[in-house]
Amino acid sequence: MKRVGQWFLGSCLLLAANLIQAQPWQLVKDEAGIQIYLQTIPGSSFQAFRGVTRMRVSMPRLLALQDDVSAACHWIHACSEQKLLAHDGKQSWAYTRFHTPWPVQRRDSILQVTTEQAADGSVTRVLHGVADYLPQQKGFVRVSKVEGFWSLTPRDGEIEVIYQVHSEPGGSVPAWLANSFVVDAPFNTLQALRQLAEEQ
């Protein structure tokens, strides 16, 4: 458990260091109660995204929706298949396959997710790509790097949800696809998750 806590703290410090070196966040979309921000990352051709919204849902329900890994493709943007690989205490590992428009080769990724709950009831899930957790799959390009988090914070009877990620998709990705993905991925993901979470 001590090693997990040290890893989590180290990940948070690394994220903080990256934010200090990176450029300021720029608001690029504000629609349907969802704000999307982009940030240029030094040394990377791909921008980081941050999506922010509020949901009228209980924390247990929201966590349950995220923990249902295989069903999460219903609300994760461009997700075609997802499965839980392993679970150990606060950590889990998930494999995901993504749709991509022709002629771009399909992508897959493996995430290590570390969940921490604070004394105030807020929950943070740190996302860390582990590309070599499984061998390369035929017909797919492995996403080479993923760093990000989900932040779930109770506020005035709602939950403020922040979804932030920077990734390196691997292989060749056209600029138009990369530019649309960093906006569509957080917006569509948050919108679909909110709709599902708020269903009675």
Side-chain angles (χ1 to χ4, degrees), residues 4-196:
V4 172
Q6 290 173 339
W7 179 89
F8 179 78
L9 178 60
S11 296
C12 290
L13 292 175
L14 180 61
L15 284 171
N18 288 340
L19 291 179
I20 292 172
Q21 296 174 5
Q23 301 301 311
W25 289 98
Q26 301 291 328
L27 179 65
V28 296
K29 186 169 186 174
D30 188 350
E31 183 180 320
I34 302 172
Q35 293 79 46
I36 305 300
Y37 301 83
L38 297 182
Q39 182 186 62
T40 300
I41 305 297
S44 175
S45 301
F46 303 94
Q47 293 176 295
F49 65 70
R50 175 187 289 173
V52 182
T53 192
R54 288 198 178 195
M55 301 183 187
R56 295 184 298 276
V57 62
S58 69
M59 185 67 77
R61 173 165 171 75
L62 186 54
L63 293 177
L65 288 172
Q66 291 196 333
D67 288 338
D68 191 349
V69 175
S70 60
C73 265
H74 293 302
W75 52 268
I76 295 175
H77 175 72
C79 179
S80 63
E81 178 186 344
Q82 186 165 259
K83 61 183 178 181
L84 182 67
L85 298 175
H87 180 80
D88 183 14
K90 296 179 180 180
Q91 291 186 303
S92 60
W93 291 260
Y95 174 76
T96 309
R97 289 180 171 179
F98 297 96
H99 297 292
T100 53
W102 185 88
V104 180
Q105 194 168 0
R106 292 183 297 171
R107 260 55 179 179
D108 66 1
S109 73
I110 303 171
L111 286 183
Q112 180 184 56
V113 183
T114 303
T115 301
E116 292 285 344
Q117 184 158 4
D120 64 357
S122 62
V123 175
T124 301
R125 298 187 190 267
V126 175
L127 312 175
H128 174 64
V130 283
D132 58 353
Y133 188 91
L134 288 178
Q136 298 283 334
Q137 303 294 298
K138 185 177 181 180
F140 289 85
V141 173
R142 180 68 45 83
V143 176
S144 60
K145 177 183 176 182
V146 182
E147 299 293 342
F149 63 85
W150 284 91
S151 172
L152 315 175
T153 306
R155 297 194 189 282
D156 304 321
E158 299 180 318
I159 296 179
E160 179 186 65
V161 179
I162 301 175
Y163 175 40
Q164 179 176 315
V165 171
H166 175 246
S167 64
E168 297 286 346
S172 178
V173 178
W176 64 265
L177 178 58
N179 292 335
S180 65
F181 180 84
V182 291
V183 176
D184 293 344
F187 184 84
N188 292 342
T189 295
L190 288 172
Q191 187 176 49
L193 177 58
R194 185 180 63 189
Q195 181 177 354
L196 185 61

